[in-house]
Amino acid sequence: MIPHSAGITALGPMASGFLAQSTLPKNMEGHLKRCPLLKQTQTLSLQPYYQKGINQGTDSEDQDVQFTSEMKRNWVYNLSAPLFYDLLSKIRSLHASICKDMQFSYKIPNACDIWIKRQNDRKIPYQEKHVRQQASILGNLEDFGALSSSDQAFSEEQCDRSTLHCYEDDVSAVVEFGAGRGYLTQILADCYGIEKVVLVERKAYKLKADRSLRQIENLALERLRIDIEDLNLNAVESLKGIPYLAIGKHLCGPATDLTLRCCLSEHCDQDNGKEPGVRPHLRSIAVATCCHHLCQWKHYTSKQYLKNLGITKEDFHAITWFTSWAVDADHGSDVSDDGSLPSPIPPHPPSGNEECGGDARGVEGITRNMKAMDRAALGFMCKDIIDMGRLMWIKECGLEAKLVKYVPSDISPENRLLVAKAGTTTIST
């Protein structure tokens, strides 16, 4: 029999809190015997690849504190007007210094024609904006030399022409993080051909791509229902000894940092003073970032990099809160051909003695009086700073990497993509 407290605790804080509030004490024992979530949690804890908090990162001061948007907002509102303007000035200066070389890279590869032209299985859900995002992720991998289509030439020694797969440095496995229903992998499988797929997702979904993926000949599919924070990828039996490509579309907030830690060696963690290195079987990464307002200092991969640039933990929390402004306006009429917004012009300190810019509500009033496009521009600057830190961390781990805008803002304002590769290996069909 499972003790009440042990059973509830095993579910985790959110689920256990809900269960304690919604289930009468006298019914708890019976509920725990048939609770599917508890059974799933217990089964997961027995898996060799489950290692609680392996990818979570550290924060010696606030290890268990989750900074909510309300906490971040209150910290900003409690700043004096001069300190607030100093922070905006610091953000503008930092962005101009480290983010000036980001390129617009909207790539739709020929290999994805069957999806772009809607020649795919009509039973599979189709939304053009999502397909174009997914295709451009793969197009940027191909452009970066981390992915190659079957129409590219290979030497006779490298290829078995009966299967169109290349054996020298061939990467036949793909791990999709935050996979959701798995349609990024579906396009990759349809357009490039792969032999092994591992989908990592903590939630349960209906209408998944799993059924159609399993119908692809010679493709092995495995779905791991686990939080990326707890996944020891080196202990996944089906991946041992196999080079793999890691992908993720819109990995919300800290999920990007958890994924990078999961894929890259713990030696990359400069916060712990360790030397950089690359896990033996990772070959390339493509991660589309989003929801930066959810980022947490504890999880962030590049804390030391930002510290060296004069960004404190409190500054980071403010920067993450500002990022929500990037997507709270309609940018459709303001984007240029390369997907960029107009040059950011955040407010400058007021003249004279009007310390709060003529608003008795202080910084809260200042922010509410900002123009929507100025707020959006500041939000995008903050997103870029966060992602540029991640890029630097990946490079410190020894990978060749870049940060690009992979689709126009009118397709998605969440349009930043981290692409990286180790050595010269490509996944090929």
Side-chain angles (χ1 to χ4, degrees), residues 268-343:
C268 287
D269 197 342
Q270 299 298 304
D271 296 332
N272 291 333
K274 297 180 180 179
E275 294 299 321
V278 180
R279 289 190 174 181
H281 302 302
L282 173 69
R283 292 297 179 260
S284 49
I285 307 173
V287 174
T289 64
C290 79
C291 302
H292 297 73
H293 63 284
L294 298 175
C295 290
Q296 298 289 319
W297 182 252
K298 177 178 73 172
H299 300 310
Y300 188 59
T301 51
S302 206
K303 292 190 281 289
Q304 191 58 52
Y305 175 76
L306 291 189
K307 288 178 182 178
N308 292 342
L309 294 172
I311 298 296
T312 66
K313 178 170 67 174
E314 291 74 23
D315 292 339
F316 178 82
H317 290 152
I319 287 171
T320 61
W321 185 67
F322 291 145
T323 63
S324 63
W325 294 353
V327 293
D328 66 359
D330 178 12
H331 312 305
S333 61
D334 301 292
V335 293
S336 61
D337 290 340
D338 68 353
S340 302
L341 286 163
S343 298

Side-chain angles (χ1 to χ4, degrees), residues 173-239:
V174 172
V175 182
E176 182 178 356
F177 291 87
R181 295 179 173 85
Y183 287 109
L184 174 56
T185 291
Q186 177 76 66
I187 293 183
L188 177 58
D190 287 347
C191 302
Y192 288 88
I194 46 180
E195 297 174 0
K196 184 179 293 293
V197 169
V198 177
L199 303 177
V200 180
E201 173 57 59
R202 66 181 180 179
K203 297 180 181 179
Y205 281 91
K206 296 180 179 179
L207 303 175
K208 300 188 293 287
D210 300 37
R211 178 176 296 180
S212 58
L213 284 170
R214 287 194 174 97
Q215 294 174 355
I216 298 176
E217 189 176 357
N218 298 324
L219 187 148
L221 172 65
E222 184 176 4
R223 180 177 279 269
L224 305 181
R225 189 176 173 188
I226 185 173
D227 195 309
I228 302 168
E229 181 177 324
D230 305 321
L231 175 60
N232 180 357
L233 203 62
N234 280 350
V236 176
E237 188 66 32
S238 61
L239 288 175

Side-chain angles (χ1 to χ4, degrees), residues 137-138 140-141 175 184 245-249 251 259 284-288 417-420:
I137 291 173
L138 302 181
N140 273 280
L141 276 168
V175 182
L184 174 56
L245 164 67
I247 57 175
K249 175 179 177 285
L251 280 167
T259 295
S284 49
I285 307 173
V287 174
L417 178 71
L418 287 163
V419 188

